[in-house]
Amino acid sequence: MGMLVDSKEAASRQGVIEINEKEAGWDEPPSLSCNHSERVLESVPKKNPAGPSGWGCLPPGAKWKSTLDRQGGLPLSLNFWSSCIKYLIFLLNFLFSLLGLLTLVIGLWGLEDKKSLGSEQLPHLGTDPMLLFVVVGLAVSAVFLAGCVGALCENICLLWFFAGGIFTFLILETLVGILVYALWDQFQDVLDSAMLLAISRYQDDSDLRFLLNEIQLGLQCCGVVSYQDWKSNLYFNCSSPGVQACGLPASCCINPWENGTIINSQCGFGALRLDEATAQNMVHFGGCSPRLRQWMDQNSWAIRDYTLVTIVIEGLEFLLVTKLVRDIKARKISD
């Protein structure tokens, strides 16, 4: 009976020793020699936990402390050139994200100011110019904010999201540029149709009213082809019962200013009822389409150069982001 108890105690002690050895990382099998058996204990190297770059700006406390202890109290940093790329990407994305947020705020303010989000304005929401500001501002701010935070925190997921967004922007801008260049005449016809639609909705949309007034004042023109185009507007048509019947907007007047500072909103009233000899002394006869086409032809080089500069900057950012991601991955492997 005593021998049985001793053997059980020995077995239990042996089991405890084996458990302790496994917990300590000694899990290699013994190697046998010719004369005697010997357990060769080799520690299994444990994979180092990911460095701070793998966790973003707010890593878990325990892992952060263990990494700092392992690295002597300071996290391993990128080399000089990688750090320059990191902060350059952060600065550029911060500026572009501010522009995107500003565009988004302008679009939302415009929609809210004229209550386009209401149910009665939903049929015209698709043609609302403020909707373009909202969509562009939202896309630009989301992509560049991701790049800004991703570069600062060295977050690979956010950097890849930013790179994908930049690549998408490059493809869209290139396609739009090619289409506009190849279909320049058709694009101008579409622009004329858009101006006619804006004339018909002149009184209903404050943004379209502002754009038309600026175009007519700046180019000193009236209508699309001629001033007679304003008959398509229900308020300016001669069959309208209102006070604006057979009239024109003040931006069509040759001298719309009263006392040189205030626009006289009634300077074009009754102009469509007058004969051409009398009306030409009051309002501009020429349409805006020919002058707008002439202006676009004269400034096409500026539009082209601006587009090329934007594409070059975005392409450079895409290359810098891919380089930064490779450097972050290489540092994590070396950690």
Side-chain angles (χ1 to χ4, degrees):
M1 181 64 69
M3 294 178 63
L4 182 60
V5 173
D6 293 339
S7 61
K8 289 182 177 181
E9 290 179 355
S12 62
R13 286 196 298 270
Q14 182 66 25
V16 171
I17 294 173
E18 291 178 356
I19 292 174
N20 293 334
E21 291 175 350
K22 289 182 178 180
E23 291 178 351
W26 310 97
D27 53 357
E28 288 292 326
S31 60
L32 301 178
S33 63
C34 296
N35 298 327
H36 61 279
S37 64
E38 180 181 358
R39 181 182 296 271
V40 178
L41 303 177
E42 296 180 356
S43 61
V44 177
K46 297 181 179 180
K47 184 179 291 187
N48 293 332
S53 59
W55 302 322
C57 287
L58 297 174
K63 290 184 177 181
W64 177 256
K65 185 177 183 303
S66 64
T67 306
L68 292 180
D69 294 339
R70 177 168 51 84
Q71 296 174 356
L74 292 173
L76 295 178
S77 59
L78 297 169
N79 58 44
F80 174 76
W81 293 112
S82 298
S83 298
C84 291
I85 292 174
K86 167 184 172 180
Y87 291 109
L88 177 62
I89 293 174
F90 169 76
L91 179 61
L92 291 175
N93 290 342
F94 180 73
L95 296 177
F96 280 113
S97 61
L98 288 181
L99 292 177
L101 289 174
L102 179 61
T103 304
L104 177 61
V105 169
I106 292 175
L108 292 176
W109 174 79
L111 292 177
E112 178 61 25
D113 182 62
K114 56 189 179 180
K115 306 299 181 184
S116 292
L117 297 179
S119 58
E120 69 278 1
Q121 296 291 337
L122 287 179
H124 304 296
L125 186 60
T127 58
D128 197 320
M130 288 294 103
L131 184 63
L132 179 63
F133 280 80
V134 173
V135 173
V136 172
L138 184 62
V140 171
S141 59
V143 171
F144 284 98
L145 276 176
C148 181
V149 177
L152 183 63
C153 301
E154 301 176 19
N155 189 294
I156 295 179
C157 294
L158 289 177
L159 289 175
W160 278 130
F161 174 79
F162 168 72
I166 286 293
F167 187 72
T168 304
F169 288 163
L170 286 172
I171 293 177
L172 292 177
E173 290 165 359
T174 304
L175 289 178
V176 170
I178 293 174
L179 290 176
V180 170
Y181 179 79
L183 306 174
W184 182 247
D185 295 333
Q186 292 85 340
F187 172 75
Q188 292 180 336
D189 294 337
V190 171
L191 188 60
D192 293 347
S193 301
M195 288 187 64
L196 285 174
L197 177 62
I199 287 177
S200 65
R201 294 184 52 200
Y202 178 81
Q203 302 289 8
D204 303 325
D205 195 314
S206 59
D207 295 318
L208 293 178
R209 183 164 61 250
F210 172 77
L211 290 175
L212 277 177
N213 287 336
E214 290 298 314
I215 291 174
Q216 293 187 148
L217 286 173
L219 299 178
Q220 296 182 349
C221 56
C222 185
V224 180
V225 179
S226 71
Y227 73 107
Q228 296 289 338
D229 293 327
W230 281 98
K231 290 182 178 180
S232 62
N233 185 280
L234 294 177
Y235 297 91
F236 294 112
N237 191 282
C238 290
S239 61
S240 173
V243 295
Q244 293 178 326
C246 276
L248 292 172
S251 55
C252 287
C253 297
I254 295 177
N255 185 20
W257 304 99
E258 183 177 355
N259 298 326
T261 56
I262 302 174
I263 291 181
N264 181 10
S265 60
Q266 299 180 1
C267 64
F269 280 17
L272 292 175
R273 193 180 292 115
L274 302 175
D275 59 274
E276 292 188 0
T278 306
Q280 68 180 355
N281 296 322
M282 295 176 53
V283 297
H284 298 289
F285 270 22
C288 295
S289 178
R291 299 194 179 187
L292 187 59
R293 295 188 182 196
Q294 182 181 3
W295 180 87
M296 295 178 67
D297 290 337
Q298 292 176 350
N299 295 275
S300 60
W301 62 270
I303 300 173
R304 181 187 65 247
D305 293 345
Y306 173 79
T307 304
L308 288 176
V309 169
T310 303
I311 292 176
V312 168
I313 292 176
E314 291 176 350
L316 180 62
E317 277 210 83
F318 179 81
L319 295 177
L320 290 177
V321 166
T322 55
K323 175 66 168 59
L324 180 61
V325 169
R326 287 198 301 267
D327 292 343
I328 293 174
K329 287 184 175 181
R331 190 192 68 175
K332 288 174 63 177
I333 294 174
S334 64
D335 288 347

